[in-house]
Amino acid sequence: MTNTITRVKKSVSLPREPGSKSPWRILTVPAQYLIWLLVFLLAVEVVLTFAGLGEEEIFALDRELGTRHMTDKSVTWRKEGYARSYFNHDGLREGALTKAKPAGTLRIALMGDSLVEGLQVPINETFGKELERKLCEELAQPVQVINFATSGYSTAQEYMQLQKQVLGYAPDLVLVGYNA
């Protein structure tokens, strides 16, 4: 007598306990966290942009000078005061400024460090703009005071900036000031 045993493979699936998660659900949880994290970070960026936060970055790298003011950049300054400003196409705060000096205008270039730069106050409250107003009254002629000052610049950087940028504006006088 021959005993033949036939084995039948049977796939058995165990019943899940209530509340247990499928393996696929577990794999998607990290992806869900990542998506929510990205949504949250995007929302924070939008809020900070509308609040003007994050606009204190003012420097771009420059091969010759080391750093220079960024161009076409809104700036909100909260250190040592509060001021909102804008750096134009040449990294200057003065708006509607041309390199060509208007006829009959006395042009003064200011150079120096953060004291002269004056980001702590609105542009119209800087001593450069105050000097411009007073000279216009006293001399009874148009005067432009252009502020080229940059925080942290050394005298060597100021000299290189004079050659690279300032002289292109054809100033009649260059004033240099530093915080002692």
Side-chain angles (χ1 to χ4, degrees):
M1 217 189 253
T2 314
N3 274 344
T4 308
I5 301 175
T6 308
R7 294 186 183 198
V8 177
K9 287 189 177 181
K10 203 175 186 183
S11 151
V12 177
S13 66
L14 299 173
R16 283 198 201 132
E17 294 182 30
S20 69
K21 297 178 181 174
S22 74
W24 295 108
R25 171 108 172 110
I26 291 171
L27 289 177
T28 61
V29 169
Q32 288 177 358
Y33 282 128
L34 183 61
I35 289 169
W36 281 111
L37 179 63
L38 291 174
V39 168
F40 173 75
L41 290 175
L42 181 62
V44 168
E45 276 296 317
V46 168
V47 168
L48 293 178
T49 298
F50 282 115
L53 297 173
E55 293 181 349
E56 289 186 9
E57 295 85 19
I58 62 171
F59 294 116
L61 294 177
D62 184 281
R63 289 185 185 269
E64 296 169 22
L65 298 171
T67 59
R68 61 173 169 72
H69 284 154
M70 291 179 171
T71 58
D72 300 314
K73 169 89 166 79
S74 292
V75 178
T76 302
W77 197 256
R78 290 179 172 78
K79 298 176 185 172
E80 308 156 333
Y82 178 85
R84 293 196 77 154
S85 203
Y86 184 80
F87 289 143
N88 70 12
H89 63 280
D90 230 1
L92 302 171
R93 290 174 74 188
E94 286 82 0
L97 184 66
T98 60
K99 278 195 174 189
K101 183 171 59 169
T105 300
L106 174 67
R107 189 174 262 183
I108 300 171
L110 294 180
M111 299 182 75
D113 59 8
S114 59
L115 176 72
V116 178
E117 184 181 45
L119 286 178
Q120 305 86 344
V121 296
I123 183 80
N124 290 329
E125 295 178 22
T126 62
F127 85 89
K129 289 300 173 190
E130 188 66 30
L131 176 64
E132 184 177 276
R133 283 189 290 275
K134 289 192 184 282
L135 286 175
C136 282
E137 289 173 15
E138 294 289 323
L139 300 176
Q141 82 174 74
V143 177
Q144 282 184 338
V145 177
I146 305 172
N147 193 339
F148 292 92
T150 305
S151 299
Y153 266 19
S154 66
T155 52
Q157 286 170 302
E158 293 289 349
Y159 179 72
M160 288 188 292
Q161 184 188 31
L162 176 73
Q163 300 297 320
K164 182 178 180 178
Q165 183 183 30
V166 177
L167 294 178
Y169 281 84
D172 297 299
L173 178 67
V174 177
L175 299 176
V176 180
Y178 285 98
N179 184 4

